[in-house]
Amino acid sequence: MTVIDISPSVMQFLLAFIVVAPLLGALAALLPAPPGLRGRNPDQAVLRHGVTVTGAVLVAAIVLAAGFDHDHPATMQATTDISWIPALDVRIHLGIDGISLPLLVLTALLTFLCALYSYFKLPAGPSPKAFVALVLVLESGTLATFAVLDLLLFFLAFEMVLIPMYFLIARWGGDQRQAAAWKFILYTLLGSVVMLLGLLLIGLKSGTFDMVALATDNGRGLTTSVQVIAVLAVGLGLAVKTPMWPLHSWLPDAHTAAPTVGSVLLAGVLLKMGTYGFVRILLPVAPDGMRTFAPYLAAFAVVGIVYGSLACLALARTGAKGDLKRLIAYSSVGHMGFVLLGIATMTPTGVNGALFANIAHGLITGLLFFLVGAVKDRYGTADLDTLAGATGAALYGRAPRLGALLAFAAVASLGLPGLAGFWGEMLTLFGAYSPAEGLSRPAFRTFMAIGAFGTLLTAAYMLIVVRRVCMGEHAPHSRLSPDEQPQQAPRAADGPQPTGTAGSPSSGAAGSASSGTVGPRTATTPQLADIHPYEAAAWTPLVVLTVVAGLWPAVLLGLTDPAVQQLLAGGKS
């Protein structure tokens, strides 16, 4: 069944367009704008170019999803297979199935929303041309990672995203951006070197780099020792990108220093590249090697769940001077731990839960970083002790709609039933209760219990954040001292604004804070600018999809389950 009937040749073109168009758009962004497209100034023209290109890619991704045959989601569709390097049998092999299609659409959506947000709220930094070009190169590399079906092409696409993300952090980031950018690039590059050795080992020992052929063979062409070495090498590189504890330490620094859109893309799509590699490559290609390492992967996963939650609780406590962006970054370590736990079970239930949690995390954490960026713009800081002003000085009293949306994202992140975050965590825990044959049930049930405890810790720190940031602390006196009073950062400090747009500094001045002392909820409590129209446009799709995925999980599971079943069965339904 397809929503619209599209010929195979058009489907091939759409997938190729989705992968290549952002790269061509990045090159065009660096060229002077044609006279008729310059708008009011060159900055506005290049930002509009970014919105146009990412919007076209999103439309193509939606049409591709509409033309996808949902009755056969385990079959590779929209395939292109062209010889590229005959001597190495490397081919330009593209295709999508029920596993890669949701990630493709998620990437296109988040990149478009980031481009739209940046049109009105460009982060402070060098030329907007470079910013737009880097975002488009990042999108092209991420989309290619989810679309290619050749091991060497997968590696090239996997590496393609590192340089643009490095510059986004280093040139448009906040405090400590240089150190964070270097830490990000060094960790990921070192992991990638080891991963390349593992991919070469698989290709040379099996005689092909074709991921479809390797999945169909299901490891029969590789000895157990080769599979173990390959899983160790490839898995290490994927674990750094995921990130898995204890290889996660680059993530909090990168998120804290990155601009808002950099954090959204890093959490929403880049982390998914690592877990996608586990599912697409290691599970079907080296099942014996995965079975050897599955208990260790699950153990690291649940340690990451608990560690991430405890780190968030430490940051959330009063007086800790915790950074809200850093807290959300540590929460990602815990959430990706659930994804790794589901993969480690090697069962359809667990892997489906991991893929669902991937999409849910992209939607919810992307929304959280958008919201935290907006809060930081208004207060001039993401420090939790500063944000948790007296009752009436917190978000509910100063920007109620923004506070309500932050509370919604927080409860979605903690796994509230009826929202997207619930199903992924539940299915991964169910998968751990009954792991694949050959894995220790007592061990995995212990991991399940630890993971379930982690969900309680997640609820604890998220509710603390909501209480402090949205409701505020109860001050012992009627008024705050000047040192405790949250201040709104000048809008002009956020970077160059395209003139004449709805997000210009003048548009938010009317709703910003007035002079006076902040106290409990009174008529004189200064107000902050609440949600702007461009913010509503960028955030509403994420809110809607979080609700839809939570209420109708079968929409996503109907795509992933047949593909997962076939993948785990070695290409046989």
Side-chain angles (χ1 to χ4, degrees):
M1 179 194 72
T2 59
V3 177
I4 55 177
D5 190 19
I6 302 178
S7 68
S9 59
V10 175
M11 292 284 285
Q12 289 177 347
F13 170 78
L14 285 172
L15 184 57
F17 174 83
I18 287 169
V19 173
V20 175
L23 199 57
L24 298 178
L27 294 174
L30 298 176
L31 300 175
L37 299 177
R38 288 176 183 170
R40 294 180 179 88
N41 59 55
D43 289 355
Q44 187 189 50
V46 73
L47 292 170
R48 186 172 59 239
H49 170 77
V51 175
T52 303
V53 174
T54 56
V57 171
L58 176 59
V59 170
I62 293 172
V63 174
L64 185 72
F68 187 83
D69 185 357
H70 293 258
D71 288 335
H72 301 91
T75 304
M76 283 293 172
Q77 302 177 36
T79 55
T80 299
D81 192 0
I82 303 170
S83 179
W84 184 32
I85 308 176
L88 297 176
D89 193 28
V90 178
R91 310 182 67 83
I92 299 177
H93 193 182
L94 305 177
I96 54 168
D97 63 357
I99 294 172
S100 53
L101 179 62
L103 291 167
L104 206 73
V105 176
L106 175 67
T107 301
L109 173 65
L110 283 177
T111 312
F112 169 71
L113 297 180
C114 286
L116 180 64
Y117 186 85
S118 299
Y119 180 80
F120 297 99
K121 191 70 175 176
L122 183 68
S127 165
K129 282 189 174 186
F131 178 85
V132 171
L134 289 170
V135 169
L136 291 174
V137 171
L138 184 68
E139 179 183 32
S140 180
T142 310
L143 291 169
T145 302
F146 300 135
V148 298
L149 297 173
D150 183 276
L151 288 180
L152 292 185
L153 281 184
F154 175 86
F155 176 78
L156 292 177
F158 197 86
E159 295 303 289
M160 184 176 168
V161 305
L162 300 184
I163 300 303
M165 181 54 70
Y166 166 81
F167 281 110
L168 285 175
I169 297 172
R171 302 304 299 275
W172 284 269
D175 296 336
Q176 304 296 321
R177 59 181 182 268
Q178 292 289 346
W182 273 110
K183 197 171 186 180
F184 162 77
I185 198 75
L186 288 176
Y187 264 76
T188 49
L189 280 178
L190 288 174
S192 298
V193 169
V194 181
M195 184 177 75
L196 176 60
L197 297 177
L199 294 176
L200 290 174
L201 177 66
I202 292 173
L204 295 175
K205 290 293 184 179
S206 62
T208 181
F209 290 99
D210 186 273
M211 291 160 66
V212 176
L214 287 167
T216 303
D217 186 66
N218 202 219
R220 286 182 285 271
L222 301 173
T223 64
T224 300
S225 59
V226 169
Q227 290 189 35
V228 168
I229 296 171
V231 169
L232 181 61
V234 178
L236 185 64
L238 297 174
V240 171
K241 185 67 73 73
T242 297
M244 180 186 76
W245 181 92
L247 304 173
H248 68 283
S249 61
W250 61 269
L251 183 71
D253 292 336
H255 271 309
T256 304
T260 296
V261 294
S263 293
V264 171
L265 293 175
L266 181 58
V269 293
L270 261 68
L271 304 188
K272 313 302 176 288
M273 295 164 63
T275 52
Y276 175 78
F278 276 105
V279 175
R280 175 64 73 196
I281 299 174
L282 294 185
L283 278 178
V285 174
D288 294 336
M290 275 296 294
R291 197 170 288 108
T292 299
F293 284 105
Y296 305 102
L297 180 62
F300 284 127
V302 296
V303 170
I305 292 171
V306 175
Y307 171 83
S309 299
L310 292 177
C312 290
L313 281 171
L315 289 170
R317 75 181 191 274
T318 303
K321 293 292 182 183
D323 186 284
L324 188 53
K325 285 189 73 175
R326 196 173 189 86
L327 185 147
I328 303 302
Y330 272 110
S331 77
S332 291
V333 176
H335 288 305
M336 299 312 289
F338 281 102
V339 177
L340 291 172
L341 176 61
I343 293 170
T345 67
M346 300 183 68
T347 63
T349 301
V351 176
N352 276 304
L355 294 172
F356 199 104
N358 252 348
I359 301 298
H361 179 265
L363 295 172
I364 297 169
T365 307
L367 177 60
L368 275 170
F369 275 116
F370 268 134
L371 293 169
V372 173
V375 170
K376 186 174 182 179
D377 290 338
R378 286 156 172 79
Y379 279 85
T381 181
D383 177 70
L384 275 167
D385 289 334
T386 303
L387 299 178
T391 303
L395 275 182
Y396 284 162
R398 305 189 69 182
R401 288 187 290 274
L402 181 60
L405 200 53
L406 180 62
F408 167 84
V411 297
S413 182
L414 64 83
L416 184 73
L419 298 176
F422 171 74
W423 296 104
E425 294 181 2
M426 185 192 71
L427 289 173
T428 57
L429 294 177
F430 278 172
Y433 182 80
S434 183
E437 185 179 352
L439 299 178
S440 170
R441 287 199 173 190
F444 272 83
R445 289 180 180 178
T446 302
F447 299 146
M448 181 197 72
I450 297 173
F453 176 67
T455 63
L456 300 178
L457 295 177
T458 303
Y461 71 74
M462 278 299 178
L463 292 177
I464 290 173
V465 168
V466 171
R467 177 182 63 79
R468 298 194 68 205
V469 177
C470 296
M471 301 178 184
E473 308 284 14
H474 292 285
H477 304 293
S478 61
R479 297 188 183 277
L480 293 175
S481 67
D483 291 337
E484 297 171 317
Q485 181 174 328
Q487 300 293 330
Q488 182 182 9
R491 297 293 299 272
D494 294 324
Q497 300 285 339
T499 59
T501 59
S504 62
S506 59
S507 66
S512 62
S514 60
S515 60
T517 307
V518 179
R521 195 181 304 272
T522 66
T524 61
T525 298
Q527 297 297 299
L528 296 172
D530 216 327
I531 298 176
H532 296 296
Y534 73 91
E535 292 173 328
W539 303 341
T540 299
L542 301 179
V543 174
V544 171
L545 289 174
T546 298
V547 175
V548 169
L551 295 179
W552 291 284
V555 174
L556 184 55
L557 293 174
L559 279 174
T560 61
D561 185 54
V564 168
Q565 297 273 4
Q566 180 167 301
L567 206 65
L568 294 177
K572 301 175 183 177
S573 302

